[in-house]
Amino acid sequence: MTLSSDANRAQITRSLSVAAFVLENTAESWDAIQSIIGLPEALYVVGKTLPILPILLKSLESSIKNNEETKDSKESFAAAYRFAELSQQQAKYFDAIFDAVSSTDNHNTKEQKYRIAANKCGGRPIEAILKDLLQQAAGLATKLVADEDLKSALKAAYDEVAKLTPSLAEDVEGHVAINNYGDGVQLYHAGEGDQNHCTGGNQYNGNGYNFHTSSPPKDEGSRTNEQKEEEEKQRDQRR
């Protein structure tokens, strides 16, 4: 059974109202982010950008309440409902990130706390989450909102977020060194970096690999006269 037009609009506006309330609370929490130092730039931009989303949600709610659903607006109404549900879901992501970076745990830096929390929430960087929301918000505003200032503000916010440096860039790999301090086999080293050989023996360097062999056994001529005399005495005693 399908919902009537009025029932459908009521469901959509209720979801928009809840989403606006949830994101408004999230935005209020994020207002304190500016006082936390040592974070990627994206998190500070989130703090100042989030408040525009509950404003947009309330504007969508008002627009849908005051306009009948038509054949042309049906898809836009459905998109507004999906956006409201997504907003509630992503508010949990923003809450988790804020709780992590504002915690008093001293074992990790603020940036490490952010990285750990983001990985627990799916691994997407915060600017990507916000960018998706702003893109959808701007599209809905174009179709359902009459406020030109709000439309312009959404576009400006999207442009700023789109230019942000990635907040979860890959860790820079350190310089690797493997050292061999004695005779014996030098194990294969598959990674990048230096392989250092510190004592006697041969160092072989091939294309993409290094290995080490120990010093060759001493030849007969390298023995001392004392060693030879001692060996001769031992042979005489055995006769």
Side-chain angles (χ1 to χ4, degrees):
M1 181 177 69
T2 58
L3 294 173
S4 67
S5 176
D6 288 344
N8 188 49
R9 282 196 300 150
Q11 183 182 20
I12 295 171
T13 55
R14 183 166 55 251
S15 183
L16 287 165
S17 177
V18 171
F21 174 78
V22 170
L23 264 183
E24 201 165 41
N25 287 338
T26 297
E28 287 178 2
S29 297
W30 271 83
D31 187 55
I33 201 72
Q34 307 301 331
S35 63
I36 302 175
I37 61 174
L39 294 171
E41 179 190 3
L43 277 74
Y44 301 114
V45 174
V46 168
K48 71 176 185 178
T49 304
L50 275 178
I52 199 173
L53 291 174
I55 293 173
L56 180 275
L57 288 161
K58 291 177 181 179
S59 183
L60 290 173
E61 179 188 0
S62 176
S63 175
I64 292 174
K65 274 183 177 178
N66 296 322
N67 290 280
E68 293 290 335
E69 183 181 287
T70 65
K71 186 176 181 180
D72 292 336
S73 66
K74 185 175 182 179
E75 178 53 38
S76 295
F77 282 16
Y81 176 77
R82 292 192 296 270
F83 179 72
E85 295 296 300
L86 177 63
S87 296
Q88 293 180 58
Q89 178 184 341
Q90 300 298 32
K92 297 176 183 178
Y93 172 92
F94 292 122
D95 289 341
I97 298 298
F98 181 80
D99 289 345
V101 300
S102 61
S103 71
T104 56
D105 164 32
N106 294 322
H107 297 296
N108 297 298
T109 66
K110 299 295 185 183
E111 189 167 357
Q112 287 170 336
K113 292 176 184 179
Y114 161 56
R115 180 180 292 276
I116 292 169
N119 286 336
K120 288 181 179 179
C121 295
R124 293 191 70 198
I126 199 166
E127 69 275 7
I129 300 292
L130 184 57
K131 181 182 173 183
D132 286 350
L133 287 173
L134 289 170
Q135 186 174 35
Q136 293 187 44
L140 287 168
T142 299
K143 297 177 180 178
L144 296 173
V145 174
D147 188 338
E148 294 299 328
D149 289 339
L150 179 55
K151 293 178 185 179
S152 297
L154 285 167
K155 183 180 183 305
Y158 174 83
D159 290 343
E160 181 178 12
V161 172
K163 294 176 183 177
L164 285 170
T165 301
S167 61
L168 289 178
E170 291 296 324
D171 289 332
V172 178
E173 294 183 0
H175 190 68
V176 179
I178 292 183
N179 307 301
N180 179 32
Y181 295 100
D183 291 344
V185 177
Q186 176 80 8
L187 298 179
Y188 171 73
H189 170 41
E192 296 180 354
D194 296 331
Q195 183 153 298
N196 302 316
H197 170 73
C198 300
T199 60
N202 299 318
Q203 177 81 21
Y204 295 92
N205 299 308
N207 183 15
Y209 64 88
N210 299 319
F211 66 91
H212 162 260
T213 59
S214 62
S215 300
K218 296 177 180 178
D219 58 25
E220 183 71 16
S222 65
R223 291 185 298 156
T224 64
N225 290 331
E226 289 81 1
Q227 288 175 321
K228 293 178 181 179
E229 291 176 359
E230 181 63 28
E231 291 173 2
E232 186 66 29
K233 289 179 182 179
Q234 291 177 0
R235 283 197 294 270
D236 290 341
Q237 291 173 357
R238 289 195 295 268
R239 289 173 183 167

